[in-house]
Amino acid sequence: MGGEKAKNSSLREPFLNELSPVDSVAGLEELRVRYLGKKGLLTSELKSLGGLPPDERRAAGAVLNETKEFIEQALAQRKQELKDLELRRKLASESIDVTLPGSYVQPGRIHPLTQTLEEITDVFVSMGFSVEEGPEVELDYYNFEALNIPKEHPAREMQDTFYVSNDIVLRTHTSPVQIRVMQRKSPPLKFIAPGKVYRCDADISHTPMFHQIEGLMVGEDITFSHLKAVLESFLHRIFSPDVPVRFRPSYFPFTEPSAEVDIGCIFCKGTGCRTCKGSGWIEILGAGMVNPHVFEMVGYDPKKYSGFAFGMGIERIAMLKYSIDDIRLFYENDIRFLGQF
Amino acid sequence: MRVSFAWLSEFIKTGLSVEKIAHMLTMSGLEVEALEAALNDVILEVNVTPNRADCLSVLGVVRELSVLTGEPVILPSSVIKSKEENEKDLLPEIKVEIRNAELCRRYSGRVIRNVKIGPSPEWMAKRLEDYGIRSINNIVDITNYVLVELGHPLHAFDLKTLKGGRIVVDTADNIYRKIKTLDGVERKLPENALVIADAEDPIALAGIMGGASTEVEESTTDIFLEAAWFEPVNIRKTAKALGLSSESSYRFERGADIEIIPFALDRASYLMQEYAGGVPHKAVDVFPGKKIPRAIEVNAQRVSKLLGTDIQKDEIIKILERLGFAPKWNDSLITVFPPSYRLDVEAEQDIVEEVARIYGYDKIPTILPVSRLSAREAPLRSNFIKDARQNIRRSGYNEAINFSFMNPQAFELLSLNDDDIRRSAVALINPLNQEESLLRTTLLPALIENQKHNLQRGLRNIRLAETARIFIKRNTGELPIEHLMLAGISMMNRTYSFWRNGTEDFYCAKGAVEALLDEFRIRDRSFGPCGEPFLHPGKSADVMVSGQRCGFVGVLSPTVREKAEIKGKEDITVFELNLDVIFAALPGIPVYRSIPRFPAVERDIALIVDESVNAAQVIRKIKEYPSELIENAVVFDLYKGEGIPAGKKSMAFNVRYRATGKTLTEEEVEQIHEGLIKDLLVHTGGSLR
Ligand SMILES: [Zn+2]
């Protein structure tokens, strides 16, 4: 009995020895045929069982079947291993340099002035202001006269004007949009008007074209303290919630009282530097209560309505926001500049 | 305006530091832009707004400080010794005749004899120089000194050159045609210019500049000193017409104080007596334009309501008193009489401003307005513009912003035809230079310039797009038409990348345009033949949207490149689209169509056709084929070369068939497809590949 068992077990040993160097699915199949094929080693032993007495045959058969199962399992397991290995090899051979750049259309950038303009617009839109437009080539009437700046008014000197004809100018500010909208719509009103404006002025800190945003709010009980609050919350949104804001008296023909609005210098935090000319403050926008003369010009009753208007230069805010030190960079359109924003 | 702190301190004793004073002035409307150290002094750079002519002097700033601190103004000396002694002997000698009392409401003056012309005292010259006026001689300097000190311009004539002992104030007419001014320039007098004349000739441009013939010189011994008031608009017009501006005209055109004239005259006379040894004679004072002080009413409640603060009537009155507005009141109605130097205070809102600025803007509370909710108009157009910019950005274009100006040479650069609408450019009367003398009618020239700028700096792969308005001239007197355009330029280097994308540059640019139109769901569009003279005739297309021409896309012609001196072998592609046309063509809210329930069957066709046949023509033919089962057709391949005869090309199309109510059988599709192929071969004159 013991001898029979040893004989059967001895098939496992050579099988395992033959299995270990096999490194392909094909080799594995060869091995299977060698042991389990019609003329395989194990098959022939099974066939030879017929010559044994029934008792021994049963015992030896059980051992052989066990061995057969063992071989089948070992082959299957090995086959899976080899398949995995082959896949890994195949994938490894397909490796690419993942550090090479990807294929895509590199997006361009939006001009920093546009980004600043849109950011400001969004703040006011979120406060319920709508957005209006007006012509860039404008009648003298809308640009000056309806804004309480008659011909020969010294305030015209504040704005060097490009003339197309005696009565037609390139708008020197976005304020004429105020008049055009008020002529078209009745109060209450709350809108901003972003756009390009022109002054015949070109030096290190001025360009003949630049951008402004104008704002107007008109209603029955609009006060100077509303003006202060709206502009203060705007400046806190654009710069930072803790930036100091101050209002000081100024002069614009179309508003009264008028104010110049400063923020605490964001570079030196108020101690004084080159940007703020040592004052610790940076002028950021002009504002005021709408002058009753302007309401009269558009047929609003100044006894009934009050309102505030404001205007700001976008270049200045963009320069502060991005620490740009030369206004002319905005208009050179050098891609090394444009690509940074 | 530059104000000496030492000078200012002679007229008011505040005990405050110059920094504190600068801050007080700034916060009440006289912005001190800078403090500048000077010898034993500090100069305040004060920004005086155009409405505050009364502050254009040391006295003006002092008055303002007096309002803010409550300290009194100490006026400088003006005691004339000769006044009582010899009044009878020292007759005026000069007869003044004002012929236009509207333009000259007051004219004063006096003769001062025995002056010794020489240098001014050092302190006076220094103060003038610190202000920014060159020292000339004691007499001229004293007139300037008083101008800076009191804000009133004076003028000294050499008495011996004054003919006929007369001063005539009149507008220029046929008699007065020309004057040679102090600066030695012979000037033709503009119409209505106010002049000062003697018995014969004009001797000064009133309020602007004196004449050369009566100039005070070394040899001068007697003078006639003028202190007058001239109407602002007239002075402004004349100064503008002559392109001449002076410290004097600057003050008169903003409005001088008519009441300070006697004091200014005495003050200057006093200084001439002290520092030039002069003997002032009795003054002449012709004052036809005297006006009673104007009363302005203001409601105290309205002040606090407009400011949004609960400032009390008592406090308002206190502020008005300090301002010298002499308030009287009856209940909440206050009546004020502003002083003669406050010409800017005319109406209730001016009083509100005065109260607010002295009260302090910082004391007014900040209260967000409570606004009734309303569904305001959606910012459709500004969102559209924003989306357009974003879309073109995603196609690789950096946003450029150029000035709206155009060089007249741009027409030649682009070889525009004589009748091209883009030649109807608006011209500026006063351009900065010839290159910027027109307003743009196309955004292309600026983008070409930008491309050049970048190339010259050794940069490659430049894509720029700009969204801006163009301006097309209309009839004289009418505003031009403004259109919002979106234009792009692209020049890409093909060897830059590891990949060599074989796509023609034209299709990249066209792709950007198509992506933009897709963004806005604009289906009604086509690309047709284009006649733009600046584009490659075989690589350019007009862009049509809803049957309207919206713009063009194409490769810049070699001629333009040569003119623009742009080197390099890569194609430069450009496009320019009218966003107003696209905005008008925006589709409304999409109407849902049910998703097809039955499968489609696809078939390919490869045709060999003449090179002149284009893909759009074939696709149109497929879509026109009378079968409802053809759902769509696209071109997917184009081939020229080996296997294809010369002058021919092969194009492959994919046709999709679908029935709405059932699954198509192979036989059904085959039948239609064969019919379609026959039809295509007939219409294109092609053959199957
Ligand atoms: Zn600073």
Side-chain angles (χ1 to χ4, degrees), chain A residues 100-103 105-111 113-114 118 122 125 128-131 133-139 152-155 157-158 161-166 168 170 180 185 190 196 198 200-202 207-209 211 217 220-226 228-230 232-233 246-251 256-259 283 289 291-293 302-303 306 330-336 338-339, chain B residues 23 26-29 31 33 49-51 233 236-237 240 250 253-254 302 305-308 349-350 352-353 356-357 361-371 376-377 379 381-382 385-386 389-390 393-405 426-432 436 439-440 450 453-454 457 459-464 466-469 471 477-480 482 498-499:
Chain A
L100 291 183
S103 169
V105 176
Q106 186 183 6
R109 314 301 311 177
I110 297 290
H111 197 286
L113 287 176
T114 306
E118 285 178 348
D122 288 347
V125 166
F129 284 72
S130 52
V131 183
E133 280 185 87
E136 289 175 26
V137 182
E138 187 53 284
L139 293 172
E152 313 308 332
H153 191 289
E157 212 166 71
M158 290 161 94
T161 312
F162 280 115
Y163 283 91
V164 167
S165 72
N166 241 346
I168 298 179
L170 303 194
R180 287 185 173 270
K185 297 177 179 175
K190 199 158 54 152
K196 289 175 177 150
Y198 305 86
C200 49
D201 196 356
T207 49
M209 182 189 91
H211 295 74
M217 180 170 187
E220 285 189 23
D221 291 303
I222 302 299
T223 71
F224 193 85
S225 61
H226 293 151
K228 280 186 72 179
V230 167
E232 200 173 274
S233 36
R246 77 173 187 186
F247 292 76
R248 56 186 167 79
S250 188
Y251 170 75
E256 190 156 22
S258 300
E283 197 174 301
M289 301 304 290
N291 193 314
H293 288 318
K303 291 260 180 305
S306 55
F330 288 127
Y331 298 101
E332 276 177 1
N333 299 309
D334 190 304
I335 54 170
R336 292 166 298 182
L338 298 175
Chain B
H23 180 254
T26 298
M27 294 311 285
S28 65
E31 186 194 1
E33 287 178 323
T49 51
N51 58 324
V233 171
R236 186 169 186 77
K237 277 185 176 161
K240 209 164 132 190
Y250 190 81
E253 65 190 34
R254 278 164 177 72
R302 186 154 167 81
K305 194 184 160 205
L306 196 72
L307 297 180
Q349 62 267 25
D350 302 317
V352 176
E353 179 170 68
R357 72 181 186 87
Y361 280 10
D362 50 340
K363 279 193 244 158
I364 295 169
T366 54
I367 304 164
L368 275 171
V370 179
S371 129
R376 88 201 131 72
E377 279 168 60
R381 195 175 145 88
S382 66
I385 298 167
K386 203 169 169 176
R389 280 201 182 101
Q390 285 294 340
R393 167 180 103 80
R394 284 192 295 272
S395 289
Y397 290 79
N398 281 303
E399 192 195 5
I401 300 183
N402 287 290
F403 295 148
S404 302
F405 309 116
V426 174
L428 297 175
I429 291 178
N430 55 336
L432 285 176
E436 297 176 316
L439 293 184
R440 291 198 277 186
N450 297 156
H453 168 100
N454 281 291
R457 278 150 189 82
L459 302 166
R460 294 287 174 269
N461 298 296
I462 300 144
R463 288 185 164 187
L464 292 166
E466 182 171 14
T467 308
R469 296 190 196 175
F471 307 85
E478 279 184 315
L479 293 180
E482 300 187 10
F498 286 95
W499 309 275

Side-chain angles (χ1 to χ4, degrees), chain B residues 259-377:
Chain B
E259 298 293 347
I260 205 170
I261 286 174
F263 180 66
L265 188 65
D266 281 357
R267 171 67 175 154
S269 306
Y270 163 80
L271 291 170
M272 288 178 187
Q273 162 192 288
E274 298 298 311
Y275 300 104
V279 180
H281 284 207
K282 191 181 175 188
V284 57
D285 185 11
V286 184
F287 194 176
K290 202 169 175 72
K291 288 186 180 162
I292 46 162
R294 60 208 184 284
I296 303 164
E297 286 184 347
V298 60
N299 190 311
Q301 279 160 5
R302 186 154 167 81
V303 175
S304 54
K305 194 184 160 205
L306 196 72
L307 297 180
T309 169
D310 56 357
I311 181 167
Q312 299 299 305
K313 190 180 87 179
D314 293 351
E315 189 157 9
I316 295 174
I317 286 167
K318 215 157 67 190
I319 289 170
L320 294 172
E321 274 169 349
R322 287 239 295 263
L323 283 162
F325 283 14
K328 293 191 172 63
W329 59 95
N330 188 350
D331 260 354
S332 67
L333 194 70
I334 306 172
T335 307
V336 300
F337 302 88
S340 59
Y341 49 86
R342 291 304 303 272
L343 291 166
D344 58 313
V345 179
E346 291 175 319
E348 188 186 54
Q349 62 267 25
D350 302 317
I351 309 292
V352 176
E353 179 170 68
E354 287 302 302
V355 172
R357 72 181 186 87
I358 303 302
Y359 178 70
Y361 280 10
D362 50 340
K363 279 193 244 158
I364 295 169
T366 54
I367 304 164
L368 275 171
V370 179
S371 129
R372 246 166 285 155
L373 282 179
S374 68
R376 88 201 131 72
E377 279 168 60

